Amino acid sequence: MDRKPNLLQRLRTMKGWKGVISVLRIAEALDVLLVVLLIFANTVSRYVFKTSFVWIEEILTICALWMYFIGAVLGAEEESHIKGDLVSSSIRRPGVKKWFLAAVALVTAVSATFFAVWAVQYCATQLKLHMLTAYLKLPKITSQFAIGFGMVGMAFYWIYHFLRYLTAKPFEDKGAHDGKDGDEKEAEG
C-alpha cells in the first residue's frame, strides 16, 4: 500500500504555507501582548492616577477584533475549533468515517463561505462610508476589516479541509480531525 501523501496533504509542509501560519501566529502573539499592556495601562491610569485614557478603548476594540479573527483563522487551519465530536469518534469503519468527516467539512466550508461573502460585502460598504472612531478619528474599517479577513481565512481553510478529506484514502483520516495526517502521527509515535 502506497502511503505517500497527496498534494493537499503536502501543502501543509510547504514553506509558503508554514510561513503564512508563522506570520499569523506572531501577529496573534503581538496582538495579545498589546491588549494586555493596554488593559494594564488603562487600569493603572484609572485606579492609581484617577484618570482615564479614552483612546485606549478604541485601540482595544481594534486589537480585540483582530485577535479574535486571527485566532479563528488559525483554529480553522488546525481544525481546533470547539466541536461536538460524538458521532465521528463512534464510527469505526475508516471509509465511513472519511465520508462523514468530508460531509462535516463541506457543511462547514459552505457556511464559512456564505459568511465570508457577507463579511466582504459588509467591509466594502463600510469602506465607502468612511466612518471614523469617536476620539482618535481612525477609520472604523481598521477593526471591521478583521471580520472580512477572518471569515475569508476560515472559508479558505475549511474548503481546503473538505478537499483534503475528499481526496484522502480511508486509512489517512485517522489524524485528520486533529490537523495531522496519518503519516505525521506515525512519525510522532
Side-chain angles (χ1 to χ4, degrees), residues 33-121:
L33 179 64
L34 184 58
V35 166
V36 168
L37 291 174
L38 287 172
I39 290 172
F40 178 76
N42 204 24
T43 303
V44 169
S45 72
R46 192 172 288 158
Y47 293 106
V48 174
F49 301 114
K50 306 291 186 221
T51 185
S52 183
F53 299 121
V54 178
W55 58 270
I56 286 182
E57 301 297 328
E58 290 181 4
I59 301 294
L60 278 172
T61 301
I62 294 167
C63 292
L65 278 166
W66 279 100
M67 182 176 64
Y68 301 147
F69 283 99
I70 290 172
V73 171
L74 289 169
E77 191 276 335
E78 58 193 33
E79 293 186 89
S80 62
H81 284 98
I82 297 171
K83 58 186 171 186
D85 199 20
L86 296 173
V87 176
S88 69
S89 62
S90 66
I91 298 173
R92 299 287 176 231
R93 293 178 53 203
V96 174
K97 189 170 187 173
K98 169 197 166 171
W99 290 108
F100 176 78
L101 292 174
V104 169
L106 175 62
V107 169
T108 308
V110 168
S111 300
T113 302
F114 170 78
F115 287 112
V117 169
W118 207 7
V120 168
Q121 291 171 345

Coordinates of all heavy atoms in Angstrom, one line a residue, residues 33-121:
L33 N -0.3 40.5 23.4 CA 0.6 41.3 24.2 C 0.1 42.8 24.3 O 0.1 43.4 25.4 CB 2.0 41.2 23.7 CG 3.1 42.0 24.5 CD1 3.2 41.4 26.0 CD2 4.4 42.0 23.8
L34 N -0.2 43.4 23.2 CA -0.7 44.7 23.1 C -2.0 44.9 23.9 O -2.1 45.9 24.7 CB -0.8 45.2 21.7 CG -1.2 46.7 21.4 CD1 -0.2 47.6 22.1 CD2 -1.4 46.9 20.0
V35 N -2.9 44.0 23.8 CA -4.1 44.1 24.5 C -3.9 44.0 26.0 O -4.4 44.8 26.8 CB -5.1 42.9 24.1 CG1 -6.3 42.8 25.1 CG2 -5.6 43.2 22.7
V36 N -3.0 43.1 26.4 CA -2.7 43.0 27.9 C -2.0 44.3 28.4 O -2.4 44.8 29.4 CB -1.8 41.8 28.1 CG1 -1.2 41.8 29.5 CG2 -2.5 40.5 27.9
L37 N -1.1 44.8 27.6 CA -0.4 46.1 28.0 C -1.4 47.3 28.1 O -1.3 48.1 29.0 CB 0.7 46.4 27.1 CG 1.9 45.5 27.1 CD1 3.0 45.8 26.1 CD2 2.6 45.5 28.5
L38 N -2.3 47.4 27.1 CA -3.3 48.5 27.1 C -4.2 48.3 28.2 O -4.6 49.3 28.9 CB -4.0 48.5 25.7 CG -3.2 49.0 24.5 CD1 -4.0 48.8 23.3 CD2 -2.8 50.5 24.7
I39 N -4.7 47.1 28.5 CA -5.6 47.0 29.7 C -4.9 47.3 31.0 O -5.4 48.0 31.9 CB -6.2 45.5 29.7 CG1 -7.2 45.3 28.5 CG2 -6.9 45.2 31.0 CD1 -7.6 43.9 28.3
F40 N -3.6 46.9 31.1 CA -2.8 47.2 32.3 C -2.7 48.7 32.4 O -2.9 49.3 33.5 CB -1.5 46.5 32.2 CG -0.6 46.8 33.4 CD1 -0.9 46.2 34.6 CD2 0.4 47.7 33.3 CE1 -0.1 46.5 35.7 CE2 1.2 48.0 34.4 CZ 1.0 47.4 35.6
A41 N -2.3 49.4 31.3 CA -2.1 50.8 31.4 C -3.4 51.5 31.7 O -3.4 52.5 32.5 CB -1.6 51.3 30.0
N42 N -4.5 51.1 31.2 CA -5.8 51.7 31.5 C -6.2 51.5 32.9 O -6.7 52.4 33.6 CB -6.8 51.2 30.5 CG -8.0 52.2 30.3 OD1 -7.8 53.4 30.5 ND2 -9.1 51.6 30.0
T43 N -5.9 50.3 33.4 CA -6.3 50.0 34.8 C -5.4 50.9 35.8 O -6.0 51.4 36.7 CB -6.0 48.5 35.1 OG1 -6.8 47.8 34.2 CG2 -6.4 48.2 36.5
V44 N -4.1 50.9 35.5 CA -3.2 51.8 36.4 C -3.6 53.2 36.3 O -3.7 53.9 37.3 CB -1.8 51.6 36.0 CG1 -0.9 52.6 36.6 CG2 -1.3 50.2 36.3
S45 N -3.9 53.7 35.1 CA -4.3 55.1 35.0 C -5.6 55.4 35.7 O -5.8 56.5 36.3 CB -4.3 55.6 33.5 OG -5.5 55.0 32.9
R46 N -6.5 54.5 35.6 CA -7.8 54.7 36.2 C -7.8 54.6 37.8 O -8.4 55.5 38.4 CB -8.8 53.7 35.7 CG -10.2 54.0 36.0 CD -11.2 53.1 35.3 NE -11.2 53.4 33.8 CZ -11.6 52.6 32.9 NH1 -12.0 51.4 33.1 NH2 -11.6 53.0 31.6
Y47 N -7.1 53.6 38.3 CA -7.2 53.4 39.8 C -6.0 54.0 40.5 O -6.2 54.3 41.7 CB -7.3 51.9 40.1 CG -8.6 51.3 39.6 CD1 -8.6 50.5 38.4 CD2 -9.8 51.6 40.2 CE1 -9.8 50.0 38.0 CE2 -11.0 51.1 39.8 CZ -11.0 50.3 38.7 OH -12.2 49.8 38.2
V48 N -4.9 54.3 39.9 CA -3.8 54.9 40.6 C -3.7 56.4 40.4 O -3.6 57.2 41.3 CB -2.4 54.2 40.1 CG1 -1.2 55.0 40.8 CG2 -2.4 52.8 40.5
F49 N -3.9 56.8 39.1 CA -3.8 58.2 38.8 C -5.2 58.9 38.7 O -5.3 60.1 38.4 CB -3.0 58.4 37.5 CG -1.6 57.9 37.6 CD1 -1.3 56.8 36.8 CD2 -0.7 58.4 38.4 CE1 0.0 56.3 36.9 CE2 0.6 57.9 38.5 CZ 1.0 56.8 37.7
K50 N -6.3 58.1 38.9 CA -7.6 58.7 38.8 C -8.0 59.4 37.5 O -8.7 60.4 37.5 CB -7.9 59.6 40.0 CG -7.6 59.0 41.4 CD -8.6 57.9 41.7 CE -8.3 57.4 43.2 NZ -8.4 56.0 43.3
T51 N -7.4 58.9 36.5 CA -7.7 59.5 35.2 C -7.9 58.3 34.2 O -7.5 57.2 34.5 CB -6.6 60.4 34.7 OG1 -7.0 61.0 33.4 CG2 -5.3 59.7 34.5
S52 N -8.5 58.6 33.1 CA -8.7 57.5 32.1 C -8.3 58.0 30.7 O -8.5 59.1 30.3 CB -10.2 57.2 32.1 OG -10.4 56.1 31.2
F53 N -7.7 57.1 30.0 CA -7.3 57.4 28.6 C -8.5 56.8 27.7 O -8.6 55.7 27.5 CB -6.0 56.7 28.2 CG -4.9 57.2 29.1 CD1 -4.1 56.3 29.8 CD2 -4.5 58.5 29.1 CE1 -3.0 56.7 30.6 CE2 -3.4 59.0 29.8 CZ -2.7 58.1 30.6
V54 N -9.3 57.7 27.2 CA -10.4 57.3 26.4 C -9.9 56.6 25.1 O -10.6 55.7 24.6 CB -11.2 58.6 26.0 CG1 -12.4 58.2 25.1 CG2 -11.7 59.3 27.3
W55 N -8.8 57.1 24.5 CA -8.4 56.5 23.3 C -8.0 55.0 23.4 O -8.0 54.3 22.4 CB -7.2 57.3 22.8 CG -6.0 57.4 23.7 CD1 -5.8 58.3 24.7 CD2 -4.9 56.5 23.8 NE1 -4.7 58.1 25.4 CE2 -4.1 56.9 24.9 CE3 -4.6 55.3 23.2 CZ2 -2.9 56.3 25.2 CZ3 -3.4 54.6 23.5 CH2 -2.6 55.1 24.6
I56 N -7.7 54.5 24.6 CA -7.3 53.1 24.8 C -8.5 52.2 24.4 O -8.3 51.2 23.8 CB -6.8 52.9 26.2 CG1 -5.4 53.5 26.4 CG2 -6.8 51.4 26.5 CD1 -4.8 53.2 27.8
E57 N -9.7 52.6 24.7 CA -10.9 51.8 24.4 C -11.0 51.6 22.9 O -11.3 50.5 22.4 CB -12.1 52.4 24.9 CG -12.2 52.7 26.4 CD -12.1 51.4 27.2 OE1 -12.6 50.3 26.7 OE2 -11.5 51.4 28.3
E58 N -10.7 52.6 22.1 CA -10.7 52.5 20.6 C -9.7 51.5 20.1 O -9.9 50.7 19.3 CB -10.6 53.9 20.0 CG -11.8 54.7 20.2 CD -11.7 56.1 19.5 OE1 -10.7 56.3 18.8 OE2 -12.6 56.9 19.7
I59 N -8.4 51.7 20.6 CA -7.4 50.8 20.2 C -7.7 49.4 20.7 O -7.4 48.4 19.9 CB -6.0 51.3 20.8 CG1 -5.7 52.7 20.4 CG2 -4.9 50.3 20.5 CD1 -5.4 52.8 18.9
L60 N -8.2 49.2 21.9 CA -8.6 47.8 22.3 C -9.6 47.2 21.4 O -9.5 46.0 21.2 CB -9.1 47.9 23.8 CG -8.0 47.9 24.9 CD1 -8.6 48.2 26.2 CD2 -7.2 46.7 24.9
T61 N -10.6 47.9 21.0 CA -11.6 47.4 20.1 C -11.0 46.8 18.8 O -11.3 45.7 18.4 CB -12.7 48.4 19.8 OG1 -13.3 48.9 21.0 CG2 -13.7 47.9 18.8
I62 N -10.1 47.6 18.2 CA -9.4 47.2 17.0 C -8.6 46.0 17.3 O -8.6 45.0 16.5 CB -8.5 48.4 16.5 CG1 -9.4 49.5 16.0 CG2 -7.6 47.9 15.3 CD1 -8.6 50.8 15.7
C63 N -7.8 46.0 18.3 CA -6.9 44.9 18.7 C -7.7 43.6 19.0 O -7.3 42.5 18.6 CB -6.0 45.2 19.8 SG -4.7 46.4 19.4
A64 N -8.8 43.8 19.7 CA -9.6 42.6 20.1 C -10.2 41.9 18.9 O -10.2 40.7 18.8 CB -10.7 43.0 21.1
L65 N -10.7 42.7 18.0 CA -11.3 42.1 16.8 C -10.3 41.4 16.0 O -10.5 40.2 15.5 CB -12.0 43.2 16.0 CG -13.4 43.5 16.4 CD1 -14.0 44.8 15.8 CD2 -14.4 42.3 16.2
W66 N -9.1 42.0 15.8 CA -8.0 41.3 15.1 C -7.6 40.0 15.8 O -7.3 39.0 15.2 CB -6.9 42.2 14.8 CG -7.1 43.1 13.6 CD1 -7.5 44.4 13.6 CD2 -7.1 42.7 12.3 NE1 -7.7 44.8 12.3 CE2 -7.4 43.8 11.5 CE3 -6.7 41.5 11.6 CZ2 -7.5 43.7 10.1 CZ3 -6.8 41.4 10.2 CH2 -7.1 42.5 9.5
M67 N -7.5 40.1 17.2 CA -7.1 38.9 18.0 C -8.1 37.8 17.8 O -7.7 36.7 17.5 CB -7.0 39.3 19.4 CG -6.6 38.2 20.4 SD -6.4 38.8 22.1 CE -8.1 39.3 22.5
Y68 N -9.4 38.1 17.9 CA -10.4 37.1 17.7 C -10.4 36.4 16.3 O -10.4 35.2 16.2 CB -11.8 37.6 17.9 CG -12.1 38.3 19.3 CD1 -12.9 39.4 19.4 CD2 -11.4 37.8 20.4 CE1 -13.1 40.0 20.6 CE2 -11.6 38.4 21.6 CZ -12.5 39.5 21.7 OH -12.7 40.1 23.0
F69 N -10.3 37.2 15.3 CA -10.4 36.7 13.9 C -9.1 36.1 13.5 O -9.2 35.1 12.7 CB -11.0 37.7 13.0 CG -12.4 37.9 13.1 CD1 -13.0 38.9 13.9 CD2 -13.3 37.0 12.6 CE1 -14.4 39.0 14.1 CE2 -14.7 37.1 12.7 CZ -15.2 38.1 13.5
I70 N -8.0 36.5 13.9 CA -6.7 35.8 13.6 C -6.7 34.5 14.3 O -6.4 33.4 13.7 CB -5.5 36.6 13.9 CG1 -5.3 37.8 13.0 CG2 -4.2 35.7 13.8 CD1 -4.2 38.8 13.5
G71 N -7.2 34.4 15.5 CA -7.3 33.2 16.2 C -8.3 32.2 15.5 O -8.1 31.0 15.5
A72 N -9.4 32.8 15.0 CA -10.3 31.9 14.3 C -9.7 31.3 13.0 O -10.0 30.2 12.7 CB -11.6 32.8 14.0
V73 N -9.0 32.1 12.3 CA -8.3 31.6 11.1 C -7.3 30.5 11.5 O -7.3 29.4 10.9 CB -7.6 32.7 10.3 CG1 -6.7 32.2 9.2 CG2 -8.6 33.7 9.8
L74 N -6.5 30.7 12.5 CA -5.6 29.7 13.0 C -6.3 28.4 13.5 O -5.9 27.3 13.2 CB -4.7 30.2 14.1 CG -3.6 31.3 13.7 CD1 -3.0 31.9 14.9 CD2 -2.6 30.6 12.8
G75 N -7.4 28.6 14.1 CA -8.2 27.5 14.6 C -8.8 26.7 13.4 O -8.8 25.5 13.4
A76 N -9.2 27.4 12.4 CA -9.7 26.7 11.2 C -8.6 25.9 10.5 O -8.8 24.8 10.0 CB -10.3 27.7 10.2
E77 N -7.4 26.5 10.4 CA -6.3 25.9 9.8 C -5.9 24.6 10.5 O -5.7 23.5 9.8 CB -5.1 26.8 9.7 CG -3.9 26.3 8.8 CD -3.0 25.3 9.5 OE1 -2.9 25.3 10.7 OE2 -2.4 24.5 8.7
E78 N -5.9 24.6 11.8 CA -5.5 23.4 12.5 C -6.7 22.6 13.0 O -6.5 21.6 13.7 CB -4.6 23.7 13.7 CG -5.2 24.7 14.7 CD -4.2 25.3 15.7 OE1 -3.0 25.5 15.3 OE2 -4.6 25.5 16.8
E79 N -7.9 22.9 12.6 CA -9.1 22.2 13.0 C -9.3 22.1 14.5 O -9.6 21.0 15.0 CB -9.2 20.9 12.3 CG -9.4 20.9 10.8 CD -9.6 19.5 10.3 OE1 -10.8 19.1 10.2 OE2 -8.6 18.9 9.9
S80 N -9.0 23.2 15.2 CA -9.0 23.1 16.7 C -10.2 23.9 17.3 O -10.2 24.1 18.4 CB -7.7 23.6 17.2 OG -7.5 25.0 16.9
H81 N -11.2 24.2 16.5 CA -12.4 24.8 17.0 C -13.1 23.9 17.9 O -13.0 22.7 17.8 CB -13.3 25.2 15.8 CG -12.9 26.4 15.1 ND1 -12.2 26.3 13.9 CD2 -13.0 27.7 15.4 CE1 -11.9 27.6 13.5 NE2 -12.4 28.4 14.4
I82 N -13.9 24.4 18.8 CA -14.7 23.6 19.7 C -15.8 23.0 18.9 O -16.5 23.6 18.1 CB -15.3 24.5 20.9 CG1 -14.1 25.1 21.7 CG2 -16.2 23.7 21.7 CD1 -14.6 26.1 22.7
K83 N -15.9 21.7 19.1 CA -17.0 21.0 18.4 C -17.4 19.8 19.2 O -16.7 19.2 20.0 CB -16.5 20.6 17.0 CG -15.2 19.7 17.0 CD -14.7 19.4 15.6 CE -13.4 18.7 15.7 NZ -12.8 18.6 14.4
G84 N -18.7 19.3 18.9 CA -19.2 18.1 19.5 C -18.8 17.0 18.5 O -19.3 17.0 17.4
D85 N -18.0 16.1 18.9 CA -17.5 15.1 18.0 C -17.9 13.7 18.5 O -17.1 12.7 18.4 CB -16.0 15.2 18.0 CG -15.4 14.5 16.8 OD1 -16.1 14.3 15.8 OD2 -14.2 14.2 16.8
L86 N -19.1 13.5 19.0 CA -19.6 12.2 19.4 C -19.8 11.2 18.3 O -19.4 10.0 18.4 CB -20.9 12.3 20.2 CG -20.8 13.1 21.5 CD1 -22.1 13.3 22.1 CD2 -19.9 12.4 22.5
V87 N -20.3 11.7 17.1 CA -20.6 10.8 16.0 C -19.3 10.3 15.4 O -19.2 9.0 15.2 CB -21.5 11.5 15.0 CG1 -21.8 10.6 13.8 CG2 -22.8 11.9 15.6
S88 N -18.4 11.2 15.0 CA -17.2 10.7 14.3 C -16.3 9.8 15.1 O -15.7 8.9 14.6 CB -16.4 11.8 13.7 OG -15.8 12.6 14.7
S89 N -16.3 10.1 16.5 CA -15.5 9.2 17.3 C -16.1 7.8 17.5 O -15.4 6.9 17.9 CB -15.3 9.9 18.7 OG -16.5 10.1 19.3
S90 N -17.4 7.7 17.2 CA -18.0 6.4 17.4 C -18.0 5.6 16.1 O -18.3 4.4 16.1 CB -19.4 6.5 17.9 OG -20.2 7.2 16.9
I91 N -17.6 6.2 15.0 CA -17.5 5.5 13.7 C -16.2 4.7 13.6 O -15.1 5.3 13.8 CB -17.6 6.5 12.5 CG1 -19.0 7.2 12.5 CG2 -17.4 5.7 11.2 CD1 -19.1 8.3 11.5
R92 N -16.3 3.4 13.4 CA -15.1 2.6 13.4 C -14.6 2.3 12.0 O -13.4 2.0 11.9 CB -15.4 1.2 14.1 CG -15.8 1.4 15.6 CD -14.6 1.8 16.4 NE -15.0 2.1 17.8 CZ -14.6 3.1 18.4 NH1 -13.9 4.1 17.9 NH2 -15.0 3.3 19.7
R93 N -15.4 2.2 11.0 CA -15.0 1.9 9.7 C -14.3 3.1 9.0 O -15.0 4.2 8.9 CB -16.2 1.4 8.8 CG -16.7 0.1 9.4 CD -17.9 -0.4 8.7 NE -17.7 -0.5 7.2 CZ -18.7 -0.4 6.3 NH1 -20.0 -0.4 6.8 NH2 -18.5 -0.5 5.1
P94 N -13.1 3.0 8.6 CA -12.3 4.1 8.1 C -13.0 4.8 6.8 O -13.0 6.0 6.7 CB -11.0 3.5 7.7 CG -10.8 2.3 8.5 CD -12.2 1.8 8.7
G95 N -13.6 4.0 6.0 CA -14.2 4.6 4.8 C -15.5 5.4 5.1 O -15.7 6.5 4.6
V96 N -16.2 4.9 6.1 CA -17.4 5.6 6.5 C -17.0 6.9 7.2 O -17.6 8.0 7.0 CB -18.3 4.7 7.4 CG1 -19.5 5.5 8.0 CG2 -18.8 3.5 6.7
K97 N -16.0 6.8 8.1 CA -15.5 8.0 8.8 C -15.0 9.0 7.9 O -15.2 10.2 8.1 CB -14.5 7.5 9.8 CG -14.1 8.6 10.8 CD -13.2 8.1 11.9 CE -13.0 9.2 12.9 NZ -12.3 8.6 14.1
K98 N -14.3 8.6 6.8 CA -13.7 9.5 5.9 C -14.9 10.4 5.2 O -14.8 11.6 5.2 CB -13.0 8.8 4.8 CG -12.6 9.7 3.6 CD -12.3 8.9 2.4 CE -12.3 9.9 1.2 NZ -11.8 9.3 0.0
W99 N -15.9 9.7 4.8 CA -17.0 10.4 4.2 C -17.8 11.2 5.1 O -18.3 12.3 4.8 CB -17.9 9.4 3.4 CG -17.2 8.9 2.2 CD1 -16.7 7.7 2.0 CD2 -16.8 9.6 1.0 NE1 -16.0 7.6 0.8 CE2 -16.1 8.8 0.2 CE3 -17.1 11.0 0.6 CZ2 -15.6 9.2 -1.0 CZ3 -16.6 11.4 -0.6 CH2 -15.8 10.5 -1.4
F100 N -18.0 10.8 6.4 CA -18.6 11.6 7.4 C -17.8 12.9 7.6 O -18.4 14.0 7.7 CB -18.8 10.8 8.7 CG -19.4 11.6 9.8 CD1 -20.8 11.9 9.8 CD2 -18.6 12.2 10.8 CE1 -21.3 12.7 10.8 CE2 -19.2 13.0 11.8 CZ -20.5 13.2 11.8
L101 N -16.5 12.8 7.8 CA -15.7 14.0 8.1 C -15.7 14.9 6.9 O -15.7 16.1 7.0 CB -14.3 13.5 8.4 CG -14.1 12.8 9.8 CD1 -12.7 12.3 10.0 CD2 -14.5 13.7 10.9
A102 N -15.7 14.3 5.7 CA -15.8 15.1 4.4 C -17.1 15.9 4.4 O -17.2 17.1 4.1 CB -15.6 14.3 3.2
A103 N -18.2 15.2 4.8 CA -19.5 15.9 4.8 C -19.6 17.0 5.8 O -20.1 18.1 5.5 CB -20.6 14.9 5.1
V104 N -19.0 16.8 7.0 CA -18.9 17.8 8.0 C -18.1 19.0 7.5 O -18.5 20.2 7.7 CB -18.4 17.3 9.4 CG1 -18.1 18.4 10.3 CG2 -19.4 16.3 10.0
A105 N -17.0 18.7 6.9 CA -16.1 19.8 6.4 C -16.8 20.5 5.3 O -16.7 21.8 5.2 CB -14.8 19.2 5.9
L106 N -17.6 19.8 4.5 CA -18.3 20.5 3.4 C -19.4 21.5 4.0 O -19.5 22.6 3.5 CB -19.0 19.5 2.5 CG -19.9 20.1 1.4 CD1 -19.1 20.9 0.4 CD2 -20.7 19.0 0.6
V107 N -20.2 21.0 4.9 CA -21.2 21.9 5.6 C -20.5 23.1 6.2 O -20.9 24.3 6.0 CB -22.0 21.1 6.6 CG1 -22.8 22.1 7.4 CG2 -22.9 20.1 5.9
T108 N -19.4 22.9 6.9 CA -18.6 24.0 7.5 C -18.1 24.9 6.4 O -18.1 26.2 6.6 CB -17.5 23.4 8.4 OG1 -18.0 22.5 9.3 CG2 -16.8 24.5 9.2
A109 N -17.5 24.4 5.3 CA -16.9 25.2 4.3 C -18.0 26.0 3.6 O -17.8 27.2 3.3 CB -16.2 24.3 3.2
V110 N -19.2 25.4 3.3 CA -20.3 26.2 2.7 C -20.8 27.3 3.6 O -20.9 28.5 3.2 CB -21.4 25.2 2.3 CG1 -22.7 26.0 1.9 CG2 -21.0 24.3 1.2
S111 N -20.9 27.0 4.9 CA -21.3 28.0 5.9 C -20.3 29.1 6.0 O -20.7 30.3 5.9 CB -21.5 27.4 7.3 OG -22.5 26.4 7.2
A112 N -19.0 28.8 6.1 CA -18.0 29.8 6.2 C -17.9 30.6 4.9 O -17.7 31.8 5.0 CB -16.6 29.1 6.5
T113 N -18.1 30.0 3.8 CA -18.1 30.8 2.5 C -19.2 31.8 2.4 O -19.0 32.9 2.0 CB -18.1 29.8 1.3 OG1 -16.9 28.9 1.4 CG2 -18.0 30.6 0.0
F114 N -20.4 31.3 2.9 CA -21.6 32.2 2.9 C -21.3 33.4 3.8 O -21.5 34.6 3.4 CB -22.8 31.5 3.4 CG -24.0 32.3 3.7 CD1 -24.8 32.8 2.7 CD2 -24.3 32.7 5.0 CE1 -25.9 33.6 3.0 CE2 -25.4 33.5 5.3 CZ -26.2 34.0 4.3
F115 N -20.8 33.2 5.0 CA -20.5 34.3 5.9 C -19.3 35.1 5.4 O -19.2 36.3 5.7 CB -20.2 33.8 7.3 CG -21.5 33.4 8.0 CD1 -21.8 32.1 8.2 CD2 -22.5 34.3 8.2 CE1 -23.0 31.7 8.8 CE2 -23.7 33.9 8.8 CZ -23.9 32.6 9.1
A116 N -18.3 34.5 4.7 CA -17.2 35.3 4.1 C -17.7 36.3 3.0 O -17.2 37.4 3.0 CB -16.2 34.3 3.5
V117 N -18.6 35.8 2.2 CA -19.1 36.7 1.2 C -19.9 37.9 1.9 O -19.7 39.0 1.5 CB -20.1 35.9 0.2 CG1 -20.9 36.9 -0.7 CG2 -19.3 35.0 -0.6
W118 N -20.6 37.5 2.8 CA -21.4 38.6 3.6 C -20.4 39.5 4.3 O -20.6 40.8 4.3 CB -22.2 37.9 4.6 CG -23.5 38.6 5.1 CD1 -24.0 39.7 4.6 CD2 -24.3 38.1 6.1 NE1 -25.1 40.0 5.3 CE2 -25.4 39.1 6.2 CE3 -24.3 37.1 7.0 CZ2 -26.4 39.0 7.2 CZ3 -25.3 37.0 7.9 CH2 -26.3 37.9 8.0
A119 N -19.3 39.0 4.9 CA -18.3 39.9 5.6 C -17.6 40.8 4.6 O -17.4 42.0 4.9 CB -17.3 39.0 6.3
V120 N -17.3 40.3 3.4 CA -16.6 41.1 2.4 C -17.5 42.2 1.9 O -17.1 43.4 1.7 CB -16.1 40.2 1.2 CG1 -15.7 41.1 0.0 CG2 -15.0 39.3 1.7
Q121 N -18.8 41.9 1.7 CA -19.8 42.9 1.3 C -19.9 44.0 2.4 O -20.0 45.2 2.1 CB -21.1 42.3 1.0 CG -21.2 41.4 -0.2 CD -22.4 40.6 -0.4 OE1 -23.2 40.5 0.6 NE2 -22.6 40.1 -1.6

